[in-house]
Amino acid sequence: MSRVLYPGSFDPLHLGHLDVIEHARELFGEVVVAVLHNHAKDSGMFHVDERVEMARTAVSHLSGVSVSEHAGLAVQAAEATGSDFVVKGLRTPGDFEIEQQMAHMNHSAAGVRTVFLPCRPDLAFVSSRFVREIAKYGGDVAHLVPRVVADALAERFDGSEQNRAPR
Ligand code: PNS
């Protein structure tokens, strides 16, 4: 049994993320979902506290899974949480190219290994960016995200400017 770190922006967490979390827990026993402040993506849709809260609700039925918030590097979050290694989900070959480079960098910089898990094929098209975009313009994302996230998006965008046609 190992403790693994699953880092991400989770802005917001979607069902593809949840599948990776469940898969990792099944394989390794303990999963720390690390909501990272990503300086490259500072203008997130949800505040980091909201992301953490939603993620906690979404994984509350899973024993061995915790959610924490971290600034800085993923390898620092791994060290801070006592995680044995990092887990990442792969949707596409494009994901692999980016993640492989990051995995090598994290190993060379801090000796932290990364394990890749393929995502569920029927969720391979899901991304937080598309979820945000569809929800912003009033589209339905209820089949792509946990209930708590769907509710938060509905509350955020119900009757908002984004839903109105331009005059
Ligand atoms: O959900 P995302 O946006 O794909 O997550 C990307 C994330 C936050 C996991 C990645 O950008 C990351 O690890 N950021 C922390 C900064 C870091 O460790 N950078 C060094 C990478 S070699």
Side-chain angles (χ1 to χ4, degrees):
M1 186 148 144
S2 305
R3 178 183 296 163
V4 297
L5 188 88
Y6 180 40
S9 306
F10 304 112
D11 186 28
L13 183 134
H14 55 65
L15 293 186
H17 293 135
L18 202 53
D19 173 56
V20 173
I21 293 165
E22 287 171 355
H23 194 174
R25 188 191 69 129
E26 196 183 310
L27 292 172
F28 307 115
E30 211 180 319
V31 181
V32 179
V33 179
V35 180
L36 294 190
H37 301 252
N38 186 338
H39 297 298
K41 297 183 187 176
D42 256 351
S43 53
M45 171 177 279
F46 289 102
H47 187 274
V48 70
D49 293 345
E50 295 175 294
R51 296 181 213 170
V52 168
E53 207 48 50
M54 285 189 284
R56 284 207 175 116
T57 304
V59 303
S60 59
H61 61 295
L62 297 169
S63 63
V65 179
S66 60
V67 179
S68 57
E69 176 213 325
H70 301 269
L73 302 175
V75 290
Q76 292 168 337
E79 191 186 352
T81 56
S83 298
D84 300 304
F85 48 91
V86 166
V87 162
K88 290 289 189 82
L90 294 180
R91 291 166 299 191
T92 61
D95 276 354
F96 178 71
E97 283 195 20
I98 297 164
E99 295 297 345
Q100 186 193 37
Q101 191 179 8
M102 226 184 284
H104 287 321
M105 183 59 84
N106 286 338
H107 184 245
S108 102
V112 175
R113 293 280 190 196
T114 300
V115 170
F116 296 128
L117 297 179
C119 78
R120 238 172 64 188
D122 57 313
L123 294 172
F125 62 94
V126 184
S127 72
S128 296
R129 181 163 73 88
F130 288 153
V131 165
R132 290 195 301 270
E133 198 166 303
I134 292 164
K136 187 171 167 186
Y137 291 100
D140 181 19
V141 291
H143 59 303
L144 306 176
V145 295
R147 178 66 183 270
V148 62
V149 174
D151 288 350
L153 288 166
E155 193 179 327
R156 169 90 40 127
F157 292 113
D158 186 34
S160 72
E161 280 301 319
Q162 285 88 347
N163 287 341
R164 296 192 191 122
R167 281 180 231 170

